[in-house]
Amino acid sequence: FSHRGKGAKKAFLAEIERAAGDADVPALLVDKINTMRQHRQEILTAMQSGGIGSTILIQFVHPDDLAGRWDHALALCESRIKNRGQGHRTLMGNTPKLKEILRKTVADVQAVEEEELRAFAVRIEVDMTQEPMMLARQVISSLLDHGLLPSFDPDELLSNSALHGAMQAAIDVEARLAGGTAAAA
């Protein structure tokens, strides 16, 4: 939605609301950094305005970080962004002052509090140091364990071919954004 300029946020939230209200959309995952309470609330409101389904919070954490600290997470994110190069819509590997941007983001983090957690059906915490396929498998398994993906076949969803296909799709998108050709997953 960055191509929308100043209207990006409004368009992003409107699309979440539209998709959340579409009975033909079996699951809606919103991949967005949500370090501030206001941003989480806006997305939550848009999802709930759609009126269908449960809202889940997936938090990525670094196992070596103490509660409320983000030192290891910050270093890992910086490394991944640099390795990704131009394969993102807004934050590139060669972004000037990348480390400062990440430090400011971490300094402004507003922790998810108990009251806020009550708005979610489930909270899933995942280890961000795991390989992407393992992360996907963990998230999908947790969603299945909580009965949140009833219209999906668990064996198919967790199959290596489905996970490899999803990983290849992500690699292809990053390659297109970077203006290159995708490698095989």
Side-chain angles (χ1 to χ4, degrees):
F1 292 91
S2 60
H3 66 283
R4 296 284 186 101
K6 292 184 182 209
K9 181 177 175 180
K10 185 176 180 179
F12 171 70
L13 294 171
E15 183 59 20
I16 291 172
E17 185 173 342
R18 186 206 61 74
D22 185 340
D24 292 330
V25 176
L28 174 62
L29 299 176
V30 179
D31 179 7
K32 178 85 170 90
I33 185 170
N34 291 297
T35 56
M36 299 185 75
R37 202 167 291 113
Q38 175 186 338
H39 299 159
R40 293 188 298 266
Q41 184 58 53
E42 289 167 347
I43 292 170
L44 186 62
T45 299
M47 291 184 88
Q48 291 173 338
S49 294
I52 298 175
S54 301
T55 307
I56 291 64
L57 175 66
I58 302 172
Q59 291 182 295
F60 292 82
V61 297
H62 196 293
D64 295 335
D65 280 333
L66 299 173
R69 297 289 308 192
W70 305 92
D71 305 307
H72 294 93
L74 186 145
L76 182 58
C77 287
E78 181 181 13
S79 171
R80 287 180 175 171
I81 292 166
K82 285 181 177 179
N83 288 337
R84 181 179 63 209
Q86 301 301 107
H88 194 266
R89 285 179 170 73
T90 57
L91 198 54
M92 316 303 177
N94 64 353
T95 298
K97 300 183 180 180
L98 175 61
K99 185 171 273 204
E100 288 82 6
I101 292 168
L102 295 175
R103 283 187 182 149
K104 170 130 178 53
T105 300
V106 166
D108 293 343
V109 167
Q110 295 174 326
V112 179
E113 296 176 351
E114 286 302 316
E115 179 181 328
E116 190 178 1
L117 280 174
R118 286 194 280 276
F120 297 95
V122 175
R123 175 182 170 260
I124 300 171
E125 189 173 284
V126 294
D127 176 350
M128 68 188 293
T129 65
Q130 293 183 55
E131 291 299 316
M133 294 259 295
M134 192 56 143
L135 278 170
R137 193 177 302 278
Q138 181 185 353
V139 169
I140 293 166
S141 293
S142 293
L143 293 171
L144 288 166
D145 289 347
H146 285 92
L148 296 167
L149 297 174
S151 62
F152 291 95
D153 173 8
D155 293 331
E156 172 56 27
L157 207 51
L158 291 168
S159 71
N160 284 334
S161 64
L163 292 171
H164 279 288
M167 180 57 63
Q168 188 61 54
I171 289 168
D172 292 347
V173 168
E174 286 187 359
R176 273 195 309 279
L177 288 170
T181 306

